Amino acid sequence: MAQSFQESFVKSMFEFSMGAFGLFFPDKYVKGRGVREPADLAWVSRDVLLLLCAQRSGASADVQHRHNIRQLDGWLRVWADDRPLVGRNASQEFTILPSEPEAIVLVSVVSANEVGCRIVARTPRAHVANDERVLIEVLVHERVLLRLASLGGTALDLADLFLLASAASAGELALDDAEKALLDAHDNAVERAAARDVTGPLDPQLLPRVAELIPHSYPLEAIHNLKAIGMPGVAGFSVFNDLDFESANTLVRCFTETVQVVCDVPLGSMGPGAACVLREIGGYEFFLAANSIEVDAPEINAQFEKHLDADSIPQFLQAVIVGRPQVQFMTAIVSLRDPRRPTATGACLRLAADTFSRTLRGSSQSADS
């Protein structure tokens, strides 16, 4: 993989995206006498797996794509023997069996400027275990993925771009059009999120203050270091990769306003010791709580336990921020929905595959007539 693209993409994802929890480096595997890589990067969003392979050369986009797909197809053949896809990022380890994902996307990353995003095929492969699943090949320019990462996009935002490309002529977007589509989707989503009255009026001075402490207003500096805060497991955290631009920004607004209740107090004063709220965002329920770390807040624990049920797998995301002098705060975001529920990302990919098939049939019928 081109090192500059890999480093830039990973750095941007882990700095800006809530979907970074599911991005990891697959371990190499032995095939015959050689050692090979399943993919350059893998990205899991609960029931969706994206395998990314990149090629940077002076060759055409089609030549680069064929090189990438050969590598990814080689892994799919090995994977079919129930050998798990194993890998890790800085926070956690991953073990994914071939029967687990309901949707698989082979993402071929190219440097040739001929195309921005192209749906290549919906191609069932005999060596893939579940032939009912969605399996798509996608060609994406590296600039498009870097743009997605810089905007904090998740797997759902990328699936939305695939859906847009699937309805275009030949299932393809030009490079400038694909980048503009991402920018427009992000800007429109931020405007819609800002227009929502999520918990009450937003103090215009609070968001900049939190943004200075937490990149892009997301509590990412702490929550990406899951091992440091003792949070095991993949399933619960991957729900954050199933939020789109609007849902992620709405979650941040709710987070910010919950913090405001506790931290926006006069200089040297403690103010309210704790605040919590339950919100449904992007099809998931989140329990957001803020409390001064100097104050015991049993009410928050009682509210949290009240909303748990037998199927819930709570996952804490913690960030410590400094408000007024002498006051510190701990905020937790907890997903309460059953992580086994189907993802919006998988549904979007299925729709993209079906739309692409209809687009091809329509083009074929037009040519015949």
Side-chain angles (χ1 to χ4, degrees):
M1 186 184 209
Q3 191 67 19
S4 59
F5 164 75
Q6 181 187 40
E7 290 180 349
S8 299
F9 180 68
V10 172
K11 181 179 185 297
S12 293
M13 285 297 299
F14 274 88
E15 186 174 357
F16 299 128
S17 175
M18 284 192 171
F21 307 110
L23 185 70
F24 66 96
F25 296 94
D27 289 350
K28 295 180 180 180
Y29 66 99
V30 177
K31 185 175 182 181
R33 296 183 178 179
V35 177
R36 307 184 185 187
E37 289 182 331
D40 295 317
L41 288 169
W43 201 11
V44 62
S45 179
R46 287 184 40 227
D47 59 3
V48 174
L49 176 66
L50 296 92
L51 296 172
L52 290 78
C53 186
Q55 173 73 193
R56 176 178 284 174
S57 70
S60 68
D62 287 338
V63 170
Q64 292 181 29
H65 174 71
R66 286 195 295 271
H67 178 278
N68 292 334
I69 291 301
R70 276 197 301 271
Q71 177 177 338
L72 296 176
D73 237 352
W75 166 249
L76 289 184
R77 291 189 179 90
V78 172
W79 200 32
D81 295 331
D82 280 336
R83 182 187 304 196
L85 178 67
V86 177
R88 59 194 47 79
N89 57 30
S91 305
Q92 55 191 320
E93 296 184 354
F94 296 78
T95 300
I96 302 172
L97 295 172
S99 59
E100 290 179 340
E102 292 298 321
I104 301 172
V105 187
L106 307 182
V107 183
S108 171
V109 185
V110 302
S111 61
N113 293 338
E114 305 154 40
V115 61
C117 179
R118 179 194 298 162
I119 309 296
V120 179
R122 180 182 180 178
T123 52
R125 286 164 164 78
H127 49 276
V128 175
N130 180 1
D131 57 11
E132 295 298 318
R133 77 178 76 199
V134 178
L135 179 61
I136 311 176
E137 283 182 31
V138 181
L139 185 154
V140 184
H141 195 282
E142 61 178 48
R143 266 173 44 192
V144 175
L145 284 180
L146 288 172
R147 177 68 68 184
L148 175 85
S150 70
L151 294 171
T154 64
L156 180 53
D157 295 310
L158 187 57
D160 283 335
L161 181 67
F162 296 161
L163 177 58
L164 185 63
S166 70
S169 177
E172 179 177 310
L173 295 174
L175 178 55
D176 290 343
D177 292 339
E179 285 194 278
K180 184 177 185 301
L182 281 175
L183 284 167
D184 288 346
H186 173 266
D187 292 347
N188 292 335
V190 171
E191 289 182 10
R192 291 193 301 271
R196 295 175 64 175
D197 184 13
V198 288
T199 60
L202 177 67
D203 178 353
Q205 297 304 312
L206 180 71
L207 193 59
R209 189 192 328 156
V210 175
E212 290 176 1
L213 300 161
I214 305 172
H216 277 213
S217 300
Y218 296 164
L220 294 188
E221 285 185 340
I223 63 182
H224 284 173
N225 190 7
L226 306 184
K227 188 174 295 184
I229 59 175
M231 290 293 112
V234 174
F237 285 115
S238 63
V239 304
F240 290 89
N241 208 11
D242 196 41
L243 301 178
D244 60 12
F245 287 128
E246 183 175 357
S247 296
N249 277 275
T250 301
L251 181 62
V252 168
R253 280 173 55 81
C254 289
F255 160 80
T256 302
E257 293 184 0
T258 306
V259 170
Q260 177 182 3
V261 174
V262 183
C263 77
D264 205 10
V265 296
L267 181 66
S269 300
M270 287 298 295
C276 62
V277 66
L278 188 70
R279 284 289 178 266
E280 182 172 336
I281 301 171
Y284 296 94
E285 287 180 331
F286 294 94
F287 181 86
L288 292 88
N291 67 281
S292 167
I293 61 173
E294 299 178 13
V295 175
D296 185 21
E299 296 85 359
I300 288 210
N301 291 332
Q303 287 292 321
F304 168 63
E305 292 173 1
K306 174 182 174 182
H307 293 293
L308 288 180
D309 57 51
D311 293 327
S312 297
I313 301 182
Q315 301 286 347
F316 287 88
L317 307 182
Q318 299 175 329
V320 179
I321 65 172
V322 177
R324 296 286 185 174
Q326 304 175 15
V327 183
Q328 288 186 311
F329 307 93
M330 187 75 75
T331 296
I333 303 174
V334 185
S335 169
L336 298 177
R337 284 289 180 86
D338 183 352
R340 293 169 293 185
R341 66 185 290 273
T343 60
T345 307
C348 188
L349 290 170
R350 189 174 298 278
L351 182 58
D354 293 342
T355 301
F356 176 65
S357 297
R358 290 195 297 272
T359 300
L360 284 186
R361 285 199 299 270
S363 300
S364 177
Q365 291 170 359
S366 298
D368 292 342
S369 63

